[in-house]
Amino acid sequence: MGPPVVRLPRAAQTLGMVLVRRRFLMSLRDRHGSAFVLDVPPFGKTLVISDPVMLKQLFSASPEIAGTPQPNLGRMLGSGSIFGLDGEEHRLRRKVLVPPFHGRRMQAYAGLIEEEFRKEASTWPLGKEFETLTPFMRITLNVILRAVFGAEGAQFQALREMLPVFVTYGSRLTVLPVSDRGIGPWNPWRKFREYRDRYDRTVQTLIDRARADEKAGERDDILSMLLQSRYEDGTPMSDKHVKDELLTLLAAGHETTATTLAWAVERLSRHPALLKRLAEGDEDLLQATILEIQRTRPVVINTARKVRGDGLIIGDWPVPKGWTVLAGIDLAHTDDTVFEHASTFDPDRFVGVKPATYAWIPFGGGTRRCVGAAFANLEMTVVLRTLLREFDLRPTDAPPEKWHSRGVAYAPHKGGRVVLDRRDNDERGVSA
């Protein structure tokens, strides 16, 4: 016997997924358990799972059996984006993308991240409540433009102005069941394509400049590394695919990291005892706190696979070819059978403890796990460490900020509001 089937009308299921996805899926999990079946466009028959054993079965399946669903973020990011690739193409691309995000190269970005944080933080109002999501967005955008795009001057300014609007617009379009093939004046994808043309022209200038640089081999921006990289057969990545991947890295890493940072100040300002401990500079506790923020406030609440072949077993049930399997990130993270006292914000659960691979999944899992996870963690670590060293966050007894959908990502409804006071030098134990 298979998992329970949701008996709501298809239109009601669709409205639930589009308008109140998080609450809708939570209510179905509470009613039906850790596996149930929906029927929603554009995915059709969809098995929703949140049990770690089932998640392992899904994430361990070969791409030939469980591949990327269609339509997917490739509509927004381009056919050459890793989100739009499957099977062998995906494997080869991932092999090219992973090296720049590990080892010595990663640590080289720490100083750049701190520099961008200090530049932005110097403008923050002291002793007055303000929302942090927007300034965190500026920090993560500047970091990506410098570390990933290698942008400066006119191109830096052009991308800085264009990309937030472009990515936000595309993010909202992606979750709507609207065809991207329409060409009429009222099709919302038409405006998206205009943004994309501007982006392509600007980034082509950066590509041409990087190629012409006599010291290209010494550059450490990811654009330059991608231009120098080669597939297993020795061929380079095309300019179009480089543009698609740079946009992917920005879209996947800019808003998500900034939103997690906004959730961080929202959570920390409501836990004064934890704040006091973190202010003492406990690095293990800081890392555990970052893990717990991502567990309790995952920015992306699900990831999906399309069943492309026979042989996918979830639980003890063979999932038919053509179905979609939706991995409920938030559903797993909030399940008391997966995490004890799951509704409690408690970073100590991760101090000295590595989270279970198929239970803690804010970056997804398997061969499609986010390639920029280590970069995102570095960014969050540097920003929060510097923030806690330079500022005191005033505790608040305000109720938790509600979840707000920004398209693909979920952000604190009020933008992560906080009141900051600057710490004096003696208290910090460091020189200014």
Side-chain angles (χ1 to χ4, degrees):
M1 186 170 140
V5 176
V6 175
R7 297 298 181 187
L8 293 170
R10 198 165 189 254
Q13 295 185 42
T14 303
L15 286 173
M17 288 294 282
V18 171
L19 299 178
V20 287
R21 177 177 298 202
R22 181 173 179 270
R23 277 186 291 158
F24 180 60
L25 290 174
M26 284 280 201
S27 68
L28 293 174
R29 190 273 312 273
D30 293 343
R31 187 183 312 162
H32 298 294
S34 59
F36 51 87
V37 176
L38 294 172
D39 186 5
V40 290
F43 301 127
K45 292 285 188 181
T46 301
L47 173 63
V48 181
I49 60 171
S50 56
D51 175 79
V53 174
M54 296 182 183
L55 291 168
K56 181 177 181 179
Q57 290 174 307
L58 177 66
F59 292 143
S60 301
S62 74
E64 289 72 32
I65 292 176
T68 184
Q70 298 293 341
N72 57 36
L73 286 174
R75 290 201 297 171
M76 168 189 168
L77 303 170
S79 59
S81 159
I82 195 167
F83 279 104
L85 301 180
D86 222 339
E88 182 66 2
E89 277 189 305
H90 179 269
R91 184 190 73 79
L92 293 171
R93 177 64 56 78
R94 191 176 177 88
K95 195 170 181 182
V96 168
L97 287 178
V98 167
F101 288 104
H102 290 276
R104 269 188 313 106
R105 294 184 185 278
M106 279 284 298
Q107 293 310 312
Y109 299 133
L112 184 155
I113 295 165
E114 184 169 336
E115 180 186 326
E116 287 298 337
F117 170 80
R118 289 179 181 279
K119 194 186 305 177
E120 179 63 38
S122 68
T123 70
W124 289 353
L126 298 177
K128 179 181 176 184
E129 188 178 80
F130 70 105
E131 65 95 7
T132 57
L133 180 58
T134 301
F136 281 140
M137 290 271 213
R138 285 194 289 264
I139 293 168
T140 59
L141 177 62
N142 288 356
V143 167
I144 286 180
L145 289 181
R146 292 177 62 189
V148 175
F149 285 75
E152 55 187 24
Q155 283 71 38
F156 179 90
Q157 289 303 327
L159 290 170
R160 195 169 187 264
E161 292 168 14
M162 173 210 319
L163 283 170
V165 180
F166 175 29
V167 171
T168 300
Y169 186 78
S171 174
R172 287 175 176 157
L173 269 186
T174 298
V175 297
L176 295 176
V178 178
S179 172
D180 58 343
R181 301 188 182 279
I183 57 173
W186 304 112
N187 188 289
W189 285 94
R190 180 178 178 179
K191 183 178 179 182
F192 177 84
R193 284 189 282 269
E194 291 172 1
Y195 280 127
R196 177 66 202 234
D197 288 343
R198 287 175 57 203
Y199 164 83
D200 283 343
R201 289 195 300 271
T202 305
V203 177
Q204 188 62 52
T205 303
L206 293 175
I207 290 173
D208 294 342
R209 180 180 297 165
R211 278 214 181 91
D213 191 341
E214 294 178 359
K215 297 182 178 179
E218 299 173 20
R219 291 172 55 134
D220 58 9
D221 57 274
I222 288 169
L223 180 151
S224 296
M225 294 182 212
L226 292 182
L227 292 178
Q228 294 166 45
S229 66
R230 295 293 181 270
Y231 291 112
E232 292 175 355
D233 64 1
T235 58
M237 197 184 299
S238 70
D239 286 3
K240 179 191 181 305
H241 285 191
V242 169
K243 292 172 197 168
D244 288 350
E245 289 298 6
L246 293 176
L247 182 59
T248 300
L249 294 171
L250 180 125
H254 154 52
E255 182 178 358
T256 50
T257 304
T259 303
T260 302
L261 288 167
W263 277 122
V265 297
E266 188 275 345
R267 294 286 78 208
L268 293 179
S269 61
R270 286 160 176 80
H271 294 81
L274 174 63
L275 259 180
K276 188 174 180 181
R277 292 169 63 199
L278 284 169
E280 295 169 0
D282 186 331
E283 197 70 21
D284 288 340
L285 181 61
L286 176 60
Q287 283 302 312
T289 300
I290 291 170
L291 293 174
E292 181 70 344
I293 289 161
Q294 291 174 287
R295 182 190 72 82
T296 57
R297 296 297 189 274
V299 173
V300 177
I301 65 166
N302 39 44
T303 184
R305 300 287 190 273
K306 188 75 170 181
V307 183
R308 304 202 177 283
D310 297 326
L312 179 64
I313 307 294
I314 300 293
D316 56 4
W317 191 65
V319 186
K321 185 177 178 180
W323 280 45
T324 296
V325 183
L326 197 71
I329 296 171
D330 191 34
L331 299 182
H333 289 188
T334 55
D335 190 335
D336 285 325
T337 66
V338 179
F339 291 99
E340 191 175 358
H341 306 302
S343 62
T344 303
F345 180 75
D346 179 20
D348 282 301
R349 74 173 77 236
F350 290 127
V351 174
V353 177
K354 188 176 179 182
T357 303
Y358 299 105
W360 185 89
I361 51 170
F363 295 109
T367 59
R368 304 197 78 88
R369 188 176 187 271
C370 174
V371 295
F375 186 83
N377 182 262
L378 174 69
E379 217 170 345
M380 290 185 280
T381 300
V382 171
V383 168
L384 289 177
R385 182 196 296 137
T386 312
L387 172 67
L388 293 165
R389 192 171 61 216
E390 303 284 337
F391 296 94
D392 282 322
L393 282 71
R394 283 193 197 174
T396 179
D397 56 5
E401 292 191 33
K402 294 179 180 178
W403 296 61
H404 170 66
S405 172
R406 290 173 54 89
V408 175
Y410 279 81
H413 182 67
K414 296 182 179 178
R417 299 188 72 80
V418 72
V419 180
L420 298 178
D421 298 297
R422 190 168 281 280
R423 304 181 75 192
D424 62 45
N425 292 344
D426 290 339
E427 190 180 355
R428 279 186 276 152
V430 296
S431 57

